[in-house]
Amino acid sequence: MTSPTDVESVEEANTAFYEAMERGDFEDVSALWLNGDGADDVSCVHPGWPVLSGRGEVLRSYALIMANTEYIQFFLTDVRVSVAGDTAVVTCTENILSGGPAEEAGELGPLVGQLVVATNVFRRTPDGWRIWSHHGSPVLAESDEDEDDEPPA
């Protein structure tokens, strides 16, 4: 049986991951990914990227993203947490606002919004919940709720 404490702990780990990304804190992002036993099984799919496997390859991708992103903010919606034993799955929608390096010194580059649906899989470790896998897919289609109720012309 899943305890409310497990669900809360997974939610906290998930939130900590996105907050560390917003701060551009590579050390905190790294600490949240599974290490030691199972680190070779770590995987990540960024929107539009191929599957990245192994802790080293995954963390290199985050270093690259952070080095090329001047500003990023995540507004998480539709967050759902499911815990089964020592594994947890979080699904959510990442409403992302980001900006790349500015062309002129001291200015923020153009901001871009993006919707990504994400699945984050966590494993319980002696040090707490750690990310085992992240998969993000861009939202390319509008939902039924967003469509007008007008009949086609």
Side-chain angles (χ1 to χ4, degrees):
M1 181 172 174
T2 301
S3 77
T5 305
D6 283 342
V7 171
E8 290 171 6
S9 296
V10 171
E11 286 176 341
E12 288 172 7
N14 193 65
T15 299
F17 170 64
Y18 288 102
E19 288 176 350
M21 284 289 297
E22 288 180 346
R23 289 190 312 274
D25 190 329
F26 182 73
E27 286 184 24
D28 280 358
V29 168
S30 298
L32 290 162
W33 279 87
L34 190 62
N35 200 1
D37 287 342
D40 291 340
D41 297 329
V42 164
S43 67
C44 180
V45 177
H46 298 293
W49 291 38
V51 176
L52 304 173
S53 298
R55 181 178 163 82
E57 189 173 359
V58 168
L59 292 180
R60 275 190 294 280
S61 74
Y62 281 97
L64 180 63
I65 290 168
M66 289 180 188
N68 290 290
T69 305
E70 187 81 16
Y71 173 84
I72 192 163
Q73 189 170 9
F74 295 90
F75 300 94
L76 301 182
T77 56
D78 308 316
V79 179
R80 290 194 170 86
V81 178
S82 178
V83 179
D86 291 336
T87 304
V89 176
V90 178
T91 57
C92 62
T93 300
E94 301 171 350
N95 301 269
I96 305 169
L97 184 61
S98 63
E103 292 182 17
E104 306 234 357
E107 292 183 22
L108 185 61
L111 293 177
V112 177
Q114 181 180 18
L115 281 181
V116 172
V117 290
T119 301
N120 297 319
V121 182
F122 290 83
R123 280 184 42 190
R124 186 193 319 260
T125 73
D127 297 321
W129 292 95
R130 297 294 181 257
I131 304 168
W132 187 6
S133 182
H134 167 82
H135 187 127
S137 296
V139 176
L140 302 176
E142 293 182 15
S143 70
D144 290 340
E145 296 171 5
D146 295 337
E147 295 176 4
D148 292 333
D149 291 332
E150 296 178 19

